[in-house]
Amino acid sequence: MRPGLNSIVLILFLIILDIYVFQALRALVYMSSPRVRTITYSSYWAVSGICILMVAILPYINWAHWPNTVKSYLLAVFIGLVLAKLFVVVFLLIDDIRRAIVFLVRKFGSASAAAPAENGINRSQFLVKLGLLTGGAFFGSLIYGFSNKYNYHVRKVKLAFGNLPAAFKGLRVVQISDVHSGSFTNREAVMKGIKMINDQKPDIVLFTGDLVNERAVEMDQWMDVFNQIKAPMGVYSTLGNHDYGDYYPWPDMDARGYSPLREANLQALKEVHGKMGWKLLNNENVVFERGNDKIALIGIENWSALKRFTKYGDLKKAYSGTEDIPFKLLMSHDPTHWDAQVRPEYPDIDLMLAGHTHGMQYGIEIPGFKWSPANFIYKEWAGLYRNGKQFLYVNRGFGFLGYPGRVGILPEITVIDLV
């Protein structure tokens, strides 16, 4: 379909959705005073009208060059409103189906069997109110989540390994992941997060990919912030799927998908790591020694079991030379790598650190229960996982992407003490 036709279809969908949801809203305030009804109806259609107008004029405005911050907030509110209304629609459809069944039973069966209750709220009122409450709560949570995008949370984990050399007992590893610097707007808030990292007094800091959203220039104003991360054994890093510039429309891309600008961007990003004092491990490893004891740190480029993400990583190459090292730690951005290759082919990799999922930046985490929409895509999406003697830790991300907020799944600084 042409872009114009896409816009028309979307506008028609929004109008139908608004009319359907409005029926529920009107039923809810039908018995209210004229003033309340006027305010409610006017507010509803004013917001809905603005959303429809934005879709209508989108082809005629230079949306691509709008500030990223403005775009992210507008999209978050727009998508949040649409999803909230869809939640309402689910309950309205349930009620419509229920009423259809009642009608058929009354028409062809026993009317007394379908007689409604005389006292209390009827089923239709209950479902309408429940739908509006659910949709409103969802949209309200998204608005609340705007305040959580810099609400960094330190999570501490102690892991015991029988094969960890004695000289490295007590090693403190701090992991961060998914910075997505192109989304940041609050320098002071990010600096607070950097201070929290250093306050953990790490022996080593490991970054597991996605430093930017698309382009290396996103780090220009943040290099002097992230270069303040310090650790005695150094700061080591890997690349994530967003670091390659695969999602940016490079103007010089040829029919084969090759772009010199993209290649230059990737090289510039690699140099950013070095300028900050970070050691980027691209399908390679480093061995740490304390006396006669050794451990290996392995870092690979992005490797995913999901088809929509390109495999750049080469674990065979990265692993080479560590065969005789008694303890191995792997940095790999995408957690699907663990089940797809690491566990079945490299059972002597003791701990893998990943990120990537962000926990979808939306979910519920309470003692004994953890859920996020990420659970529908990723088997391992946040926190610690174990299979036999091997461990995987999935960091929830330091930054944010798309939705400029977090609900339930807070930005994370991981502290792993090896004991």
Side-chain angles (χ1 to χ4, degrees), residues 282-287 296-300 313-330 337 341-342 345-350 390:
N282 281 337
N283 303 322
E284 53 192 310
N285 65 74
V286 60
V287 176
L297 174 65
I298 302 168
I300 75 162
D314 186 341
L315 186 51
K316 181 178 180 181
K317 176 182 177 183
Y319 178 89
S320 179
T322 68
E323 292 84 353
D324 297 327
I325 306 299
F327 183 86
K328 302 177 184 69
L329 194 160
L330 169 67
H337 189 200
Q341 185 184 40
V342 177
E345 298 180 26
Y346 297 87
D348 61 340
I349 290 180
D350 302 279
Q390 291 179 287

Side-chain angles (χ1 to χ4, degrees), residues 226-275:
F226 284 89
N227 69 3
Q228 297 182 41
I229 299 175
K230 304 295 181 183
M233 294 172 60
V235 181
Y236 290 82
S237 56
T238 54
L239 296 176
N241 57 299
H242 279 268
D243 293 321
Y244 297 92
D246 290 345
Y247 311 126
Y248 188 78
W250 301 104
D252 64 339
M253 186 172 290
D254 61 23
R256 297 175 294 122
Y258 176 76
S259 165
L261 287 176
R262 176 186 169 278
E263 293 300 316
N265 175 76
L266 180 58
Q267 181 58 38
L269 184 64
K270 292 177 180 179
E271 292 173 0
V272 165
H273 287 251
K275 291 175 181 178

Side-chain angles (χ1 to χ4, degrees), residues 70-86:
V70 175
K71 288 194 294 185
S72 63
Y73 277 99
L74 286 176
L75 283 174
V77 171
F78 174 78
I79 294 173
L81 282 170
V82 172
L83 290 176
K85 291 174 183 177
L86 288 174

